[in-house]
Amino acid sequence: MPAKVYTDKDADLGVFQNKTLAVLGYGSQGHAHALNLKDSGCKVIIGLYPGSKSKTVAEQHGFEVVDTAEAVRRADVIMVGLPDMKQADVYTNDILPNLTKGKTLIFSHGLSVHFGLIKLHKDIDCIMVAPKGPGHIVRRLYVEGKGMPALIAVAQDKSKKAKKTALAWAKGIGSTRAGVLQTSFKEETETDLFGEQAVLCGGASALVQAGFETLVEAGYQPEMAYFECLHELKLICDLMYESGIAGMRFSISETAKYGDITRGPRVVNKQTKVEMKKILKEIQTGKFTQEWVKEYKGGLKNYKKLLAAGEKHTIEKTGERLRSMMPWMTKKNLKGVQAAYA
């Protein structure tokens, strides 16, 4: 059976009448949820830690900004828009002591709840509203009168109204304009991590770098390798995004199609799928989360080392020079506060 799709008619923003909504954190998802909800007529405050670089940006966007604990005390519905590895400490120190019966916690990703990094207060609702795209696109689509599809889930339903709250929040951020599907914290967390690691981020990055290296090592110009292995990837992804893999194949040449269906399976082969299954198992058993928590608490030494190595890859310098020749391409400050380039 296909999943039920919830739209505007299934959600009621009246659920938030006379209620205060708090968004903890003002990064990619946090700023988008807060701005969209405010523009939908909801009362929203922002909770940040003292000295947060995001405070100025949030205030410029018209929000009252208070300390995290104060935001939790004052709000009826609280979105935890913090990085996964920061959630447990903030929950213990600032959120849990200020939760009372009847409040609702919202997450945009289920890792902390599903893998037990936090223990839920017994008298609250806990739900998820997870737009299927980055916060800046969630905001952009809302402003354009459109919406980003989203997932909702219920982890704890003390009020027996948790799903209505999730749908109302999804409507407030514009997602019911596009369509909302119901899932579980387990399913969202495990599939999301797998997609990031094996396909969207880890898999795609490794594939692009390997292709680039193969061409350069064979004596081809780095600029040609960049165009063929990275730049044009967006064009192919856009076609797949719009009409699926079959639709992409409809739009490319016969030669490209033949190369796709005969050579693609040699790159992503049976052994690749064996590794994918291992990665999924590590996620399902909690092994990945345990490793990530240990790395984070240990000072992120390997994390920083691997990121630094990636930034020094030849493809980065080549790409930076080629992108400077493309004035239509939006330039991002990758060192700044995420919400600042909304």
Side-chain angles (χ1 to χ4, degrees):
M1 289 288 290
K4 176 175 171 57
V5 178
Y6 297 92
T7 59
D8 277 344
K9 63 180 175 55
D10 302 303
D12 179 15
L13 277 172
V15 168
F16 296 143
Q17 188 172 1
N18 300 320
K19 290 188 176 181
T20 298
L21 315 182
V23 175
L24 309 183
Y26 205 68
S28 176
Q29 287 292 337
H31 91 280
H33 285 241
L35 286 167
N36 291 3
L37 286 160
K38 180 164 75 80
D39 289 350
S40 291
C42 301
K43 180 182 178 182
V44 183
I45 61 175
I46 306 299
L48 297 174
Y49 64 87
S52 170
K53 294 178 182 178
S54 298
K55 184 174 188 291
T56 301
V57 179
E59 289 176 336
Q60 288 173 348
H61 288 169
F63 290 105
E64 178 185 1
V65 179
V66 298
D67 288 350
T68 301
E70 177 67 13
V72 177
R73 271 194 295 272
R74 287 173 50 180
D76 302 285
V77 183
I78 304 111
M79 176 191 170
V80 183
L82 307 169
D84 290 330
M85 292 298 104
K86 292 186 183 298
Q87 289 180 10
D89 285 346
V90 175
Y91 182 80
T92 300
N93 297 324
D94 296 320
I95 299 176
L96 184 59
N98 297 291
L99 288 176
T100 53
K101 184 176 182 179
K103 290 182 185 282
T104 298
L105 274 187
I106 295 184
F107 292 84
S108 60
H109 178 47
L111 187 144
S112 291
V113 174
H114 176 53
F115 287 114
L117 302 186
I118 66 174
K119 186 176 180 181
L120 294 176
H121 186 294
K122 64 182 179 64
D123 292 322
I124 66 163
D125 287 354
C126 178
I127 59 179
M128 182 197 305
V129 180
K132 297 311 294 175
H136 299 94
I137 308 301
V138 173
R139 177 59 181 163
R140 184 192 305 166
L141 289 174
Y142 179 94
V143 171
E144 293 173 353
K146 305 169 188 173
M148 175 68 72
L151 303 175
I152 61 167
V154 177
Q156 191 165 285
D157 187 10
K158 291 296 179 180
S159 71
K160 306 303 179 188
K161 299 176 182 177
K163 184 175 177 180
K164 288 184 177 180
T165 304
L167 285 170
W169 190 281
K171 184 171 186 175
I173 64 172
S175 288
T176 50
R177 296 172 181 174
V180 172
L181 303 177
Q182 186 165 7
T183 182
S184 65
F185 271 65
K186 170 183 167 62
E187 184 175 56
E188 185 279 335
T189 302
E190 294 176 0
T191 56
D192 186 77
L193 290 174
F194 176 79
E196 291 170 349
Q197 295 172 25
V199 182
L200 307 174
C201 305
S205 298
L207 182 65
V208 167
Q209 287 181 335
F212 178 89
E213 290 166 4
T214 300
L215 287 177
V216 172
E217 288 165 6
Y220 297 100
Q221 296 179 81
E223 293 79 7
M224 292 300 297
Y226 180 87
F227 277 124
E228 296 304 329
C229 297
L230 192 154
H231 179 80
E232 293 187 27
L233 180 64
K234 180 189 185 303
L235 310 179
I236 297 300
C237 286
D238 283 349
L239 291 172
M240 292 170 68
Y241 180 83
E242 291 166 3
S243 15
I245 295 173
M248 177 273 291
R249 287 173 174 161
F250 175 80
S251 299
I252 61 178
S253 71
E254 288 182 337
T255 303
K257 266 197 281 277
Y258 183 72
D260 168 357
I261 58 180
T262 61
R263 267 57 178 179
R266 288 170 58 183
V267 178
V268 180
N269 52 36
K270 290 181 180 179
Q271 186 56 40
T272 309
K273 198 167 180 182
V274 168
E275 288 301 319
M276 284 184 166
K277 289 182 177 180
K278 288 181 182 178
I279 289 169
L280 179 57
K281 196 69 176 177
E282 289 169 3
I283 291 167
Q284 292 170 326
T285 60
K287 183 179 179 181
F288 166 77
T289 299
Q290 291 166 8
E291 177 188 320
W292 178 213
V293 170
K294 183 179 179 181
E295 173 70 18
Y296 189 86
K297 290 183 176 179
L300 296 170
K301 294 174 186 173
N302 193 49
Y303 171 86
K304 292 175 181 176
K305 177 184 174 183
L306 293 172
L307 283 178
E311 289 173 5
K312 292 176 184 175
H313 195 286
T314 310
I315 199 171
E316 297 300 337
K317 190 163 287 187
T318 304
E320 187 177 355
R321 186 162 68 85
L322 290 175
R323 289 191 298 273
S324 70
M325 298 160 50
M326 307 172 193
W328 63 88
M329 196 169 289
T330 304
K331 304 300 186 293
K332 296 283 195 298
N333 174 15
L334 301 183
K335 304 296 183 184
V337 177
Q338 281 186 325
Y341 59 81

